[in-house]
Coordinates of all heavy atoms in Angstrom, one line a residue:
M1 N 83.4 71.9 98.0 CA 82.8 73.1 98.6 C 81.3 72.8 98.6 O 80.7 72.5 97.6 CB 83.1 74.3 97.7 CG 82.6 75.6 98.4 SD 83.1 77.1 97.4 CE 84.8 77.2 97.9
P2 N 80.6 73.0 99.8 CA 79.2 72.7 99.8 C 78.4 73.7 99.0 O 78.8 74.8 98.8 CB 78.9 72.8 101.3 CG 80.0 73.6 101.9 CD 81.2 73.4 101.0
R3 N 77.2 73.2 98.6 CA 76.3 74.1 97.9 C 75.1 74.3 98.8 O 74.8 73.4 99.7 CB 75.8 73.4 96.6 CG 77.1 73.3 95.7 CD 76.7 72.6 94.4 NE 76.0 73.4 93.4 CZ 76.5 74.4 92.7 NH1 77.8 74.7 92.8 NH2 75.8 75.1 91.9
Y4 N 74.4 75.4 98.7 CA 73.3 75.8 99.5 C 72.1 76.1 98.6 O 72.2 76.6 97.5 CB 73.6 77.0 100.4 CG 74.8 76.8 101.3 CD1 76.1 77.0 100.9 CD2 74.6 76.5 102.6 CE1 77.2 76.9 101.7 CE2 75.7 76.3 103.5 CZ 76.9 76.5 103.0 OH 78.0 76.3 103.9
R5 N 70.9 75.8 99.1 CA 69.7 76.0 98.4 C 68.6 76.4 99.3 O 68.4 75.9 100.4 CB 69.2 74.7 97.7 CG 68.0 74.9 96.9 CD 67.6 73.7 96.1 NE 67.6 72.5 96.9 CZ 67.9 71.3 96.5 NH1 68.3 71.1 95.3 NH2 67.9 70.2 97.3
A6 N 67.8 77.4 98.9 CA 66.6 77.9 99.7 C 65.4 77.3 99.0 O 65.5 76.9 97.8 CB 66.6 79.4 99.7
P7 N 64.3 77.3 99.6 CA 63.0 76.9 99.0 C 62.7 77.8 97.8 O 63.2 78.9 97.8 CB 62.0 76.9 100.1 CG 62.6 77.3 101.3 CD 64.0 77.7 101.0
A8 N 61.8 77.4 97.0 CA 61.3 78.2 95.9 C 60.7 79.5 96.5 O 60.3 79.5 97.6 CB 60.3 77.5 95.1
A9 N 60.8 80.6 95.7 CA 60.4 81.9 96.2 C 59.0 81.9 96.8 O 58.7 82.6 97.8 CB 60.5 82.9 95.1
D10 N 58.1 81.1 96.2 CA 56.7 81.1 96.7 C 56.5 80.3 98.1 O 55.5 80.4 98.7 CB 55.7 80.5 95.7 CG 56.0 79.1 95.3 OD1 57.0 78.5 95.7 OD2 55.2 78.5 94.6
A11 N 57.6 79.7 98.5 CA 57.5 79.0 99.8 C 57.9 79.9 101.0 O 57.7 79.6 102.1 CB 58.5 77.8 99.8
L12 N 58.4 81.1 100.7 CA 58.7 82.1 101.7 C 57.9 83.4 101.4 O 57.7 83.8 100.2 CB 60.2 82.4 101.6 CG 61.2 81.3 101.8 CD1 62.6 81.8 101.6 CD2 61.0 80.7 103.2
C13 N 57.5 84.1 102.4 CA 56.9 85.4 102.3 C 57.8 86.3 103.0 O 58.0 86.2 104.3 CB 55.5 85.4 103.0 SG 54.7 87.0 102.9
I14 N 58.5 87.2 102.3 CA 59.4 88.2 102.9 C 58.8 89.6 102.9 O 58.4 90.1 101.8 CB 60.8 88.2 102.1 CG1 61.3 86.7 102.1 CG2 61.7 89.2 102.6 CD1 62.6 86.6 101.2
V15 N 58.7 90.2 104.1 CA 58.2 91.5 104.3 C 59.2 92.4 104.9 O 59.6 92.2 106.0 CB 56.9 91.4 105.2 CG1 56.3 92.8 105.4 CG2 55.9 90.4 104.6
P16 N 59.6 93.5 104.1 CA 60.5 94.4 104.7 C 59.9 95.2 105.9 O 58.8 95.6 105.8 CB 60.8 95.4 103.5 CG 60.3 94.7 102.3 CD 59.2 93.8 102.7
L17 N 60.7 95.4 106.9 CA 60.3 96.1 108.1 C 61.4 97.1 108.4 O 62.3 96.8 109.3 CB 60.1 95.2 109.3 CG 59.2 94.0 109.1 CD1 59.3 93.0 110.2 CD2 57.7 94.5 109.0
D18 N 61.4 98.3 107.7 CA 62.5 99.2 107.9 C 63.8 98.6 107.5 O 64.0 98.1 106.4 CB 62.5 99.8 109.3 CG 61.3 100.7 109.6 OD1 60.9 101.4 108.6 OD2 60.8 100.7 110.7
D19 N 64.8 98.5 108.5 CA 66.1 97.9 108.2 C 66.1 96.4 108.3 O 67.1 95.7 107.8 CB 67.1 98.4 109.2 CG 67.4 99.9 109.0 OD1 67.1 100.4 107.9 OD2 67.9 100.6 109.9
L20 N 65.1 95.8 108.8 CA 65.0 94.3 108.9 C 63.9 93.8 108.0 O 63.2 94.6 107.4 CB 64.7 93.9 110.4 CG 65.7 94.4 111.4 CD1 65.1 94.1 112.8 CD2 67.0 93.8 111.2
S21 N 63.8 92.5 107.9 CA 62.7 91.8 107.2 C 62.2 90.7 107.9 O 62.9 90.0 108.7 CB 63.2 91.3 105.8 OG 63.7 92.4 105.0
A22 N 60.9 90.4 107.8 CA 60.3 89.2 108.4 C 60.2 88.2 107.3 O 59.8 88.5 106.1 CB 58.9 89.6 108.9
V23 N 60.6 87.0 107.6 CA 60.6 85.9 106.6 C 59.6 84.8 107.2 O 60.0 84.2 108.2 CB 62.0 85.3 106.3 CG1 61.9 84.2 105.3 CG2 62.9 86.4 105.8
Y24 N 58.5 84.6 106.5 CA 57.6 83.6 106.9 C 57.9 82.4 106.0 O 57.8 82.4 104.8 CB 56.1 84.0 106.8 CG 55.1 82.9 107.1 CD1 55.0 82.4 108.4 CD2 54.4 82.4 106.1 CE1 54.1 81.4 108.7 CE2 53.5 81.3 106.4 CZ 53.4 80.9 107.7 OH 52.5 79.9 108.0
H25 N 58.2 81.2 106.7 CA 58.5 80.0 106.0 C 57.2 79.1 106.0 O 56.8 78.6 107.1 CB 59.6 79.3 106.7 CG 60.1 78.1 106.0 ND1 60.4 76.9 106.7 CD2 60.4 77.8 104.7 CE1 60.8 76.0 105.8 NE2 60.8 76.5 104.6
R26 N 56.5 79.1 104.9 CA 55.2 78.4 104.9 C 55.3 77.0 105.3 O 54.4 76.5 106.0 CB 54.6 78.5 103.5 CG 54.2 79.9 103.1 CD 53.5 80.0 101.7 NE 52.9 81.3 101.6 CZ 53.5 82.4 101.0 NH1 54.7 82.3 100.6 NH2 52.8 83.5 100.9
A27 N 56.3 76.2 104.9 CA 56.4 74.8 105.3 C 56.5 74.5 106.8 O 55.9 73.6 107.3 CB 57.6 74.2 104.6
S28 N 57.2 75.4 107.5 CA 57.3 75.2 108.9 C 56.4 76.0 109.7 O 56.2 75.7 110.9 CB 58.8 75.5 109.4 OG 59.0 76.9 109.2
G29 N 55.8 77.1 109.1 CA 54.9 78.0 109.9 C 55.7 78.9 110.8 O 55.1 79.6 111.6
Q30 N 57.0 79.0 110.6 CA 57.8 79.9 111.4 C 58.1 81.2 110.7 O 58.3 81.2 109.5 CB 59.2 79.2 111.8 CG 59.0 78.0 112.7 CD 60.4 77.4 113.0 OE1 61.3 77.5 112.3 NE2 60.4 76.7 114.2
T31 N 58.2 82.2 111.6 CA 58.6 83.5 111.1 C 59.9 83.9 111.7 O 60.2 83.7 112.9 CB 57.5 84.6 111.5 OG1 56.3 84.2 110.9 CG2 57.9 86.0 111.0
H32 N 60.8 84.4 110.8 CA 62.2 84.8 111.3 C 62.3 86.3 110.9 O 61.9 86.7 109.9 CB 63.2 84.0 110.5 CG 63.0 82.5 110.6 ND1 63.6 81.8 111.6 CD2 62.3 81.7 109.8 CE1 63.2 80.5 111.4 NE2 62.5 80.4 110.3
V33 N 63.0 87.0 111.8 CA 63.3 88.4 111.6 C 64.8 88.4 111.2 O 65.7 87.9 112.0 CB 63.0 89.3 112.8 CG1 63.5 90.7 112.5 CG2 61.5 89.2 113.1
V34 N 65.1 89.0 110.0 CA 66.5 88.9 109.5 C 67.0 90.3 109.1 O 66.2 91.2 108.8 CB 66.6 87.9 108.4 CG1 66.2 86.5 108.8 CG2 65.7 88.3 107.2
A35 N 68.3 90.4 109.0 CA 68.9 91.6 108.5 C 69.5 91.4 107.1 O 69.8 90.2 106.8 CB 69.9 92.1 109.5
P36 N 69.8 92.4 106.4 CA 70.5 92.3 105.1 C 71.9 91.7 105.4 O 72.4 91.9 106.4 CB 70.6 93.7 104.6 CG 69.6 94.5 105.3 CD 69.4 93.8 106.6
P37 N 72.3 90.8 104.5 CA 71.9 90.5 103.2 C 71.0 89.2 103.1 O 71.0 88.6 102.1 CB 73.2 90.3 102.4 CG 74.1 89.7 103.4 CD 73.7 90.3 104.7
V38 N 70.4 88.8 104.2 CA 69.7 87.6 104.2 C 68.6 87.5 103.2 O 68.5 86.6 102.4 CB 69.2 87.2 105.6 CG1 68.2 86.0 105.6 CG2 70.3 86.9 106.5
P39 N 67.7 88.5 103.1 CA 66.7 88.5 102.0 C 67.2 88.3 100.6 O 66.7 87.6 99.8 CB 65.9 89.8 102.2 CG 66.1 90.2 103.6 CD 67.5 89.7 103.9
E40 N 68.3 89.1 100.4 CA 69.0 89.0 99.1 C 69.6 87.6 98.8 O 69.5 87.1 97.7 CB 70.1 90.1 99.0 CG 69.6 91.5 99.0 CD 69.2 92.0 100.4 OE1 69.4 91.3 101.4 OE2 68.7 93.2 100.5
M41 N 70.1 87.0 99.9 CA 70.7 85.7 99.7 C 69.6 84.7 99.5 O 69.7 83.8 98.6 CB 71.5 85.3 101.0 CG 72.7 86.1 101.2 SD 73.5 85.9 102.8 CE 74.4 84.4 102.5
L42 N 68.5 84.8 100.2 CA 67.4 83.9 99.9 C 66.8 84.0 98.5 O 66.5 83.0 97.9 CB 66.2 84.1 101.0 CG 66.6 83.8 102.4 CD1 65.5 84.3 103.3 CD2 66.8 82.3 102.6
A43 N 66.8 85.2 98.0 CA 66.3 85.4 96.6 C 67.3 84.7 95.6 O 66.8 84.1 94.7 CB 66.2 86.9 96.3
L44 N 68.6 84.9 95.9 CA 69.6 84.2 95.0 C 69.4 82.7 95.0 O 69.6 82.0 94.0 CB 71.0 84.6 95.4 CG 71.5 86.0 95.1 CD1 72.8 86.3 95.8 CD2 71.6 86.1 93.6
L45 N 69.2 82.2 96.2 CA 69.2 80.7 96.4 C 67.8 80.1 96.2 O 67.7 78.9 96.3 CB 69.7 80.4 97.8 CG 71.1 80.7 98.1 CD1 71.4 80.7 99.6 CD2 72.0 79.8 97.3
A46 N 66.8 80.8 95.8 CA 65.4 80.3 95.7 C 65.4 79.2 94.6 O 65.5 79.5 93.5 CB 64.5 81.5 95.3
G47 N 65.2 78.0 95.1 CA 65.1 76.9 94.2 C 66.3 76.4 93.5 O 66.2 75.6 92.5
R48 N 67.5 77.0 93.8 CA 68.7 76.6 93.1 C 69.9 76.5 94.1 O 69.9 77.2 95.1 CB 69.0 77.5 91.9 CG 69.4 78.9 92.4 CD 69.7 79.7 91.2 NE 69.7 81.1 91.5 CZ 70.0 82.1 90.7 NH1 70.4 81.8 89.5 NH2 69.9 83.3 91.1
A49 N 70.8 75.6 93.8 CA 72.0 75.4 94.7 C 73.1 76.3 94.2 O 73.4 76.3 93.0 CB 72.3 74.0 94.7
M50 N 73.8 76.9 95.1 CA 75.0 77.7 94.8 C 76.0 77.5 95.9 O 75.6 77.3 97.1 CB 74.6 79.2 94.7 CG 73.6 79.6 93.7 SD 73.1 81.3 93.8 CE 74.5 82.1 93.1
T51 N 77.3 77.7 95.6 CA 78.3 77.7 96.6 C 78.3 79.1 97.3 O 77.8 80.1 96.7 CB 79.7 77.4 96.0 OG1 80.0 78.5 95.1 CG2 79.7 76.1 95.3
A52 N 79.0 79.2 98.4 CA 79.2 80.5 99.0 C 79.9 81.5 98.1 O 79.6 82.6 98.1 CB 79.9 80.3 100.4
R53 N 80.9 81.0 97.4 CA 81.6 81.8 96.5 C 80.7 82.4 95.4 O 80.8 83.5 95.0 CB 82.8 81.0 95.9 CG 83.7 81.9 95.0 CD 85.0 81.1 94.6 NE 85.8 81.0 95.8 CZ 86.5 80.0 96.1 NH1 86.6 79.0 95.3 NH2 87.3 80.0 97.2
E54 N 79.8 81.5 94.9 CA 78.9 82.0 93.8 C 77.9 83.0 94.4 O 77.6 84.0 93.8 CB 78.1 80.8 93.3 CG 79.0 79.9 92.4 CD 78.3 78.6 92.1 OE1 77.4 78.1 92.8 OE2 78.7 78.0 91.0
V55 N 77.5 82.8 95.7 CA 76.6 83.8 96.3 C 77.3 85.1 96.5 O 76.7 86.2 96.2 CB 76.1 83.2 97.7 CG1 75.3 84.3 98.5 CG2 75.2 82.0 97.5
L56 N 78.5 85.0 97.0 CA 79.3 86.3 97.2 C 79.5 87.0 95.8 O 79.3 88.2 95.8 CB 80.6 85.9 97.8 CG 81.6 87.1 98.0 CD1 80.9 88.2 98.9 CD2 82.9 86.6 98.6
A57 N 79.8 86.3 94.8 CA 80.0 86.9 93.5 C 78.7 87.6 93.0 O 78.8 88.7 92.4 CB 80.5 85.9 92.5
A58 N 77.6 86.9 93.2 CA 76.3 87.5 92.7 C 76.0 88.7 93.5 O 75.5 89.7 93.0 CB 75.2 86.4 92.8
L59 N 76.2 88.6 94.8 CA 75.9 89.8 95.7 C 76.9 91.0 95.3 O 76.4 92.1 95.2 CB 76.1 89.5 97.2 CG 75.0 88.6 97.8 CD1 75.5 88.2 99.2 CD2 73.7 89.3 97.8
A60 N 78.1 90.7 95.1 CA 79.1 91.7 94.7 C 78.7 92.4 93.4 O 78.8 93.6 93.3 CB 80.5 91.1 94.6
A61 N 78.2 91.6 92.4 CA 77.8 92.1 91.2 C 76.6 93.0 91.3 O 76.5 94.1 90.7 CB 77.6 91.0 90.1
A62 N 75.6 92.5 92.1 CA 74.4 93.3 92.2 C 74.5 94.5 93.1 O 73.7 95.5 92.9 CB 73.3 92.3 92.7
Y63 N 75.3 94.5 94.1 CA 75.4 95.6 95.1 C 76.7 96.3 95.1 O 77.0 97.0 96.1 CB 75.0 95.0 96.4 CG 73.6 94.5 96.4 CD1 73.4 93.1 96.3 CD2 72.5 95.3 96.4 CE1 72.1 92.6 96.3 CE2 71.2 94.8 96.4 CZ 71.0 93.4 96.3 OH 69.8 92.9 96.2
D64 N 77.6 96.1 94.1 CA 78.9 96.8 94.1 C 79.6 96.7 95.4 O 80.0 97.7 96.0 CB 78.6 98.2 93.7 CG 79.9 98.9 93.3 OD1 80.8 98.2 92.7 OD2 80.0 100.1 93.5
L65 N 79.9 95.4 95.8 CA 80.7 95.2 97.0 C 82.1 95.2 96.6 O 82.6 94.4 95.8 CB 80.3 93.8 97.6 CG 78.9 93.6 98.1 CD1 78.7 92.2 98.6 CD2 78.5 94.6 99.1
P66 N 82.9 96.1 97.2 CA 84.3 96.2 96.7 C 85.2 95.0 97.2 O 86.0 94.5 96.4 CB 84.8 97.5 97.4 CG 83.9 97.7 98.5 CD 82.6 97.1 98.1
D67 N 85.0 94.5 98.4 CA 85.8 93.4 98.9 C 85.0 92.5 99.8 O 84.9 92.8 101.0 CB 87.1 93.9 99.5 CG 86.8 95.0 100.6 OD1 85.7 95.5 100.6 OD2 87.8 95.3 101.3
G68 N 84.3 91.5 99.2 CA 83.4 90.7 100.0 C 84.2 89.7 100.8 O 85.4 89.4 100.5
D69 N 83.6 89.2 101.9 CA 84.2 88.2 102.8 C 83.5 86.9 102.7 O 82.4 86.7 103.1 CB 84.2 88.8 104.2 CG 84.8 87.9 105.2 OD1 85.3 86.8 104.9 OD2 84.8 88.3 106.4
E70 N 84.2 85.9 102.0 CA 83.6 84.6 101.8 C 83.3 83.9 103.1 O 82.3 83.2 103.2 CB 84.5 83.8 100.9 CG 83.8 82.4 100.5 CD 84.6 81.6 99.5 OE1 85.5 82.2 98.9 OE2 84.3 80.4 99.4
A71 N 84.2 84.1 104.1 CA 83.9 83.4 105.4 C 82.7 83.9 106.0 O 81.9 83.2 106.7 CB 85.2 83.6 106.3
A72 N 82.4 85.2 105.9 CA 81.2 85.8 106.4 C 79.9 85.3 105.7 O 78.9 85.0 106.4 CB 81.2 87.3 106.3
V73 N 80.0 85.1 104.4 CA 78.9 84.5 103.7 C 78.7 83.0 104.1 O 77.5 82.6 104.3 CB 79.2 84.6 102.1 CG1 78.1 83.8 101.4 CG2 79.2 86.0 101.7
V74 N 79.7 82.3 104.3 CA 79.6 80.9 104.8 C 78.9 80.9 106.1 O 78.0 80.1 106.4 CB 81.0 80.2 104.8 CG1 80.9 78.8 105.5 CG2 81.5 80.0 103.4
A75 N 79.4 81.8 107.0 CA 78.8 81.8 108.4 C 77.3 82.1 108.3 O 76.5 81.5 109.0 CB 79.5 82.9 109.2
R76 N 76.9 83.1 107.5 CA 75.5 83.5 107.3 C 74.7 82.3 106.8 O 73.6 82.0 107.2 CB 75.4 84.7 106.5 CG 74.1 85.4 106.5 CD 73.7 86.1 107.8 NE 74.8 87.0 108.2 CZ 75.5 87.1 109.3 NH1 75.3 86.2 110.2 NH2 76.4 87.9 109.5
L77 N 75.3 81.7 105.7 CA 74.6 80.5 105.1 C 74.4 79.4 106.2 O 73.3 78.8 106.2 CB 75.3 80.0 103.9 CG 75.3 80.9 102.7 CD1 76.3 80.5 101.6 CD2 73.9 80.9 102.1
D78 N 75.4 79.1 107.0 CA 75.3 78.1 108.0 C 74.3 78.4 109.0 O 73.6 77.6 109.5 CB 76.7 77.8 108.6 CG 77.6 77.0 107.7 OD1 77.1 76.4 106.7 OD2 78.8 77.1 107.9
E79 N 74.2 79.7 109.4 CA 73.1 80.2 110.3 C 71.7 79.9 109.7 O 70.8 79.5 110.4 CB 73.3 81.7 110.6 CG 74.4 82.0 111.5 CD 74.6 83.5 111.6 OE1 73.8 84.3 111.1 OE2 75.6 83.9 112.3
L80 N 71.6 80.2 108.4 CA 70.3 80.0 107.7 C 70.0 78.5 107.6 O 68.8 78.1 107.7 CB 70.4 80.6 106.3 CG 70.4 82.1 106.3 CD1 70.6 82.6 104.9 CD2 69.1 82.7 106.9
V81 N 71.0 77.6 107.5 CA 70.8 76.2 107.5 C 70.2 75.8 108.9 O 69.3 75.0 109.0 CB 72.1 75.4 107.3 CG1 71.9 73.9 107.6 CG2 72.5 75.6 105.8
G82 N 70.8 76.4 110.0 CA 70.3 76.1 111.3 C 68.9 76.6 111.6 O 68.2 75.9 112.3
T83 N 68.4 77.6 110.9 CA 67.0 78.0 111.0 C 66.0 77.2 110.2 O 64.8 77.3 110.3 CB 66.8 79.5 110.6 OG1 67.1 79.7 109.2 CG2 67.7 80.4 111.4
G84 N 66.6 76.5 109.2 CA 65.7 75.7 108.3 C 65.3 76.5 107.0 O 64.6 76.0 106.2
L85 N 65.8 77.7 106.9 CA 65.5 78.5 105.7 C 66.3 78.1 104.5 O 66.0 78.4 103.3 CB 65.7 80.0 106.0 CG 64.7 80.6 106.9 CD1 65.0 82.1 107.3 CD2 63.3 80.5 106.4
V86 N 67.5 77.5 104.7 CA 68.4 77.1 103.6 C 68.8 75.6 104.0 O 68.9 75.3 105.1 CB 69.6 78.0 103.6 CG1 70.7 77.5 102.7 CG2 69.2 79.4 103.1
E87 N 69.1 74.9 102.9 CA 69.6 73.5 103.1 C 71.0 73.4 102.5 O 71.2 74.0 101.5 CB 68.6 72.4 102.7 CG 68.4 72.4 101.2 CD 67.5 71.3 100.7 OE1 67.4 70.3 101.4 OE2 66.9 71.5 99.7
R88 N 71.8 72.6 103.1 CA 73.1 72.3 102.5 C 72.9 71.1 101.6 O 72.4 70.0 102.1 CB 74.1 72.0 103.6 CG 75.6 72.1 103.1 CD 76.6 71.9 104.3 NE 76.5 73.0 105.2 CZ 76.1 72.9 106.5 NH1 75.7 71.8 107.0 NH2 76.1 74.0 107.3
V89 N 73.3 71.2 100.3 CA 73.1 70.0 99.4 C 74.4 69.6 98.8 O 75.4 70.3 98.8 CB 72.1 70.4 98.3 CG1 70.8 70.6 98.9 CG2 72.5 71.6 97.5

């Protein structure tokens, strides 16, 4: 099972904008507009590698998710890999 990692927290500047958030990636100079749970996932993965299952478990524990969807978490993580905000390790 692949592991995913985001840059350290200080490499990203995350600014909430009502229901969305702007994520500025200092290394690339790019800004991304994202919806939940992306900011929460980036915080979990900041500087450490986790599997999608571990991310889902942490989100479920923190936000009382009754029945999480691991496939949806994998899809979101793969999208983040495509943007450069997360790397597959």
